[in-house]
Amino acid sequence: MTMAGTMLPKLAVAFGLAIMPIAASADPLPSWKDAASKAAIIAFVESVTDENSDTFVPEKDRIAVFDNDGTLWAEQPLYFQGLYALDVLREKAAADPSILSSDVLKAANAGDVKGVLAAGVEGLVEVVNISHGKITPEDFKAKSHQWVTTATHPTSGRTYAEMTYQPMLELLSYLRDEDFTTWIVSGGGIDFIRSFSDEAYGIPSWQVVGTEGKTTYGVAADGTPTITKNGGVTFVDDKEGKPVGIMRHIGQRPIFAAGNSDGDFAMLEWTTAGDGPRFGMLVHHDDAAREFAYDREGHIGVLIKGLDEGPKRGWTIVSMKDDWKQVFPD
Amino acid sequence: MTMAGTMLPKLAVAFGLAIMPIAASADPLPSWKDAASKAAIIAFVESVTDENSDTFVPEKDRIAVFDNDGTLWAEQPLYFQGLYALDVLREKAAADPSILSSDVLKAANAGDVKGVLAAGVEGLVEVVNISHGKITPEDFKAKSHQWVTTATHPTSGRTYAEMTYQPMLELLSYLRDEDFTTWIVSGGGIDFIRSFSDEAYGIPSWQVVGTEGKTTYGVAADGTPTITKNGGVTFVDDKEGKPVGIMRHIGQRPIFAAGNSDGDFAMLEWTTAGDGPRFGMLVHHDDAAREFAYDREGHIGVLIKGLDEGPKRGWTIVSMKDDWKQVFPD
């Protein structure tokens, strides 16, 4: 925790982000308007860090988990990892068209996202395997890091690294300043997120929980040991998989969980059902002008149950439009 | 890291162990004799923490991984987790003999370890499922913690919690003082080790990598969400599984690895094949008087390849007999 904290300024400069440590007297969440959501976050953090309070939580139990897509950075018009997979596929197909050996790969190469989605999970895995299979985790991370920091988003023109949410960067930093450990728990691929989590969020590779593919260990003829991503999926860290992934990687129940879609419902449910003080929050994408507006409909980030049941469960619904002064970093 | 460091004295007192923080000027490894192994460890640590050296390694990359059974605590006459499984089986069978529904369970109940081992991995899983299945991780950890801290070892008469190795506790503490993160990477069950890792070693639940069983998330009729261990094994964190488990949980290659058997060979091979300074060490059980003497033969902790190839690879072989002043804590 301290490590991530001390490295943060250096990395933040490298990434061009404004997530410097905050003096105790300063506003810890300057990009948040003085709305109910900001007050609720600060009240919760103060209640669990006050040693004289009944609601005090020791440092080792201050575990905060965050979904990534749509919670820490944008996810429209398609999960960025999906855009990455399509870019790599097109790059490889340009060099060797024979890799387009199926209808779903041809659809992907033509930019026909609906055609890919129509092929279901198997079709998606087939597309993803082109970029995510037969590669070492190190090479994969180097390649995806390069893409995240240089390729640009189709509508904003920003690099994907610049599509993180400034208020959430401040929230991560605030929680760490208060001796929380901050974790990503994402339906996205674990190695993809690890390629930028430290630079973008100050979150080290081992505090990323995500969907996992098959990897194997082998030793080459010259004695060099190698771990290889073989493609395919062995664990899906989404929906009911999120609490399972949390218990597998973290080994204890968080006290703070943030998400934005019904894929995060089980994670918030599990987190907030524990004893003692708990915080659940959902980022509501209601800002068509500055980001995107979507919730109950669409193919990504669908939020129905969370909107209907979240407030009854005491979860905080954060309106991007009304609660945030700024969406993306300067 | 700092968190584990600051919690350590409190927990050490609770566990009755002498692992207080060490002043920079004091000997960081007082239970180690002034032998080659101690000198090699200190030379390595000093080389990677010296900012003016070519061999300097930044804090975030100072990852040290430790096998548990036979490396951090004893493992004879049987892995302690196996003794725990047998104790729970006998306790349950005394209350309800009908659970002894197979030959392997009857053999286990009769203390016939050879009979259990003869039934292979399937037989072992059948025995382990009695204690490790149909239980929440929280209940399992409470029960195994109780056993580790109160049940006593058949020959030493110590509790299992008191069968950790004092020199290794000092090594863990020394590395953390030098801003390493310390990890357990064990063939043992992840939840079993998590039940005592923080108290015994100052290692939090999320820095334990181990063999994993199937767990599922569900919501009871009254709305209570529950995670349940269902028995069975989904990932074996042993041999070639150790580097895979490391990459899954930590996400980067360690620079320091310690083990004691050929089950750790791949972990040391993977660790020490990386670029820059690397340290591999094997604890050699050659002290029949103070602990146990075994290596090339037996059913636990077999060490053949490590003894034959380790020295050629630059790994440090630690003689418990010659290199340690003391084996167990006072």
Side-chain angles (χ1 to χ4, degrees):
Chain A
M1 311 191 310
T2 296
M3 192 190 77
T6 52
M7 293 190 329
L8 210 51
K10 197 163 54 183
L11 291 163
V13 169
F15 241 54
L17 303 179
I19 39 173
M20 300 299 287
I22 292 153
S25 59
D27 180 353
L29 301 172
S31 299
W32 292 68
K33 291 186 194 166
D34 288 327
S37 59
K38 176 175 179 171
I41 291 168
I42 291 175
F44 173 79
V45 171
E46 290 183 347
S47 78
V48 300
T49 55
D50 176 0
E51 285 196 49
N52 299 315
S53 166
D54 285 350
T55 53
F56 177 74
V57 175
E59 293 185 5
K60 78 181 176 80
D61 296 326
R62 290 184 206 158
I63 291 170
V65 289
F66 292 80
D67 169 59
N68 185 49
D69 296 309
T71 300
L72 294 180
W73 75 356
E75 62 183 352
Q76 297 286 1
L78 190 66
Y79 296 127
F80 296 171
Q81 188 177 3
L83 296 173
Y84 171 67
L86 291 176
D87 273 5
V88 174
L89 174 69
R90 280 191 287 257
E91 178 193 312
K92 289 196 174 182
D96 176 11
S98 75
I99 69 161
L100 302 175
S101 54
S102 72
D103 287 346
V104 69
L105 291 176
K106 283 174 192 153
N109 189 54
D112 173 13
V113 172
K114 279 186 190 169
V116 174
L117 294 175
V121 172
E122 277 181 38
L124 214 55
V125 168
E126 197 179 338
V127 172
V128 166
N129 278 352
I130 298 290
S131 47
H132 291 57
K134 292 182 191 163
I135 188 167
T136 69
E138 289 93 338
D139 288 347
F140 176 80
K141 278 186 268 189
K143 205 166 157 60
S144 54
H145 178 269
Q146 167 77 7
W147 182 87
V148 164
T149 52
T150 58
T152 52
H153 185 270
T155 60
S156 76
R158 287 171 171 257
T159 65
Y160 294 99
E162 293 165 341
M163 301 253 337
T164 55
Y165 301 135
Q166 177 64 25
M168 298 303 285
L169 299 180
E170 292 168 7
L171 176 54
L172 288 170
S173 191
Y174 173 45
L175 291 172
R176 285 193 296 259
D177 285 344
E178 298 294 337
D179 296 320
F180 280 72
T181 46
T182 53
W183 295 75
I184 292 171
V185 178
S186 170
I190 191 166
D191 290 322
F192 183 76
I193 297 169
R194 282 170 168 170
S195 77
F196 60 90
S197 64
D198 200 354
E199 285 180 26
Y201 307 128
I203 293 180
S205 58
W206 56 84
Q207 287 173 9
V208 177
V209 182
T211 291
E212 294 167 2
K214 189 168 169 54
T215 55
T216 50
Y217 180 78
V219 180
D222 70 354
T224 307
T226 312
I227 287 180
T228 309
K229 290 168 71 72
N230 299 310
V233 170
T234 55
F235 175 67
V236 177
D237 190 57
D238 197 26
K239 301 187 177 73
E240 285 73 22
K242 289 203 172 193
V244 172
I246 286 169
M247 289 309 280
R248 181 186 291 183
H249 283 261
I250 309 179
Q252 55 185 87
R253 202 193 299 226
I255 63 166
F256 183 110
N260 77 298
S261 81
D262 286 346
D264 303 313
F265 192 90
M267 175 169 81
L268 268 72
E269 179 178 58
W270 168 247
T271 298
T272 58
D275 294 332
R278 303 280 158 167
F279 199 87
M281 72 173 256
L282 289 168
V283 174
H284 189 197
H285 293 266
D286 57 0
D287 193 335
R290 297 187 299 179
E291 204 241 5
F292 302 95
Y294 58 99
D295 47 31
R296 292 174 185 274
E297 286 173 17
H299 64 288
I300 276 175
V302 173
L303 181 65
I304 301 168
K305 208 175 165 189
L307 284 179
D308 292 342
E309 290 191 28
K312 294 179 215 163
R313 292 169 179 256
W315 301 348
T316 296
I317 312 293
V318 175
S319 163
M320 293 179 77
K321 183 162 165 279
D322 296 333
D323 295 358
W324 288 358
K325 289 182 195 165
Q326 175 177 350
V327 174
F328 299 114
D330 290 327
Chain B
M1 308 192 312
T2 295
M3 194 191 75
T6 54
M7 293 192 327
L8 211 53
K10 196 164 55 184
L11 293 162
V13 170
F15 241 55
L17 303 180
I19 40 172
M20 301 299 288
I22 292 151
S25 59
D27 181 352
L29 302 172
S31 298
W32 292 68
K33 291 186 193 166
D34 287 327
S37 59
K38 177 175 179 171
I41 291 168
I42 291 175
F44 173 78
V45 171
E46 290 183 347
S47 77
V48 300
T49 55
D50 176 1
E51 285 196 48
N52 299 315
S53 166
D54 285 351
T55 53
F56 177 74
V57 174
E59 293 185 5
K60 78 181 176 80
D61 295 326
R62 290 184 207 159
I63 291 168
V65 290
F66 291 80
D67 170 58
N68 184 49
D69 296 309
T71 300
L72 295 180
W73 76 355
E75 62 182 351
Q76 296 287 359
L78 190 65
Y79 296 127
F80 296 170
Q81 187 177 4
L83 296 173
Y84 170 69
L86 291 174
D87 273 5
V88 174
L89 173 71
R90 279 190 288 257
E91 177 193 311
K92 289 196 173 181
D96 176 11
S98 76
I99 69 162
L100 301 175
S101 55
S102 71
D103 288 344
V104 69
L105 292 176
K106 283 174 191 154
N109 188 54
D112 173 12
V113 171
K114 279 187 189 168
V116 173
L117 294 176
V121 172
E122 277 181 35
L124 214 57
V125 168
E126 197 179 337
V127 172
V128 167
N129 278 352
I130 298 290
S131 47
H132 291 57
K134 291 183 190 161
I135 188 167
T136 69
E138 288 93 339
D139 288 348
F140 176 81
K141 277 187 266 188
K143 205 167 156 61
S144 56
H145 178 268
Q146 166 77 7
W147 182 87
V148 165
T149 53
T150 58
T152 52
H153 185 269
T155 59
S156 76
R158 288 170 170 258
T159 65
Y160 294 97
E162 294 164 342
M163 303 272 305
T164 55
Y165 301 135
Q166 177 63 25
M168 297 304 284
L169 299 179
E170 293 167 5
L171 177 54
L172 289 170
S173 192
Y174 172 45
L175 291 172
R176 286 192 296 259
D177 285 345
E178 298 294 339
D179 296 320
F180 280 72
T181 47
T182 53
W183 295 76
I184 292 171
V185 178
S186 170
I190 191 165
D191 290 323
F192 183 77
I193 297 169
R194 282 170 169 171
S195 77
F196 59 90
S197 65
D198 200 354
E199 285 180 26
Y201 307 127
I203 293 181
S205 57
W206 56 83
Q207 286 174 10
V208 177
V209 182
T211 290
E212 295 167 2
K214 188 169 170 56
T215 55
T216 50
Y217 180 78
V219 180
D222 71 353
T224 307
T226 313
I227 287 180
T228 309
K229 288 168 70 75
N230 300 309
V233 170
T234 55
F235 174 68
V236 178
D237 189 56
D238 197 25
K239 301 188 178 75
E240 285 72 22
K242 291 202 171 193
V244 172
I246 287 169
M247 289 309 282
R248 180 187 290 183
H249 283 261
I250 309 179
Q252 55 185 86
R253 202 193 298 226
I255 64 167
F256 184 109
N260 77 298
S261 81
D262 285 346
D264 304 312
F265 192 90
M267 175 169 81
L268 268 73
E269 178 178 59
W270 169 245
T271 299
T272 58
D275 294 332
R278 304 279 157 167
F279 199 86
M281 71 174 255
L282 289 167
V283 174
H284 189 199
H285 293 266
D286 56 0
D287 192 335
R290 297 187 300 179
E291 205 242 5
F292 303 95
Y294 59 97
D295 46 32
R296 291 175 185 272
E297 284 173 19
H299 63 290
I300 278 174
V302 173
L303 180 66
I304 301 168
K305 206 175 166 190
L307 285 179
D308 292 342
E309 290 192 28
K312 293 179 217 163
R313 291 168 179 258
W315 301 349
T316 296
I317 312 295
V318 175
S319 162
M320 294 179 79
K321 181 162 166 283
D322 296 332
D323 295 358
W324 288 358
K325 291 182 194 165
Q326 176 178 349
V327 174
F328 299 115
D330 290 327

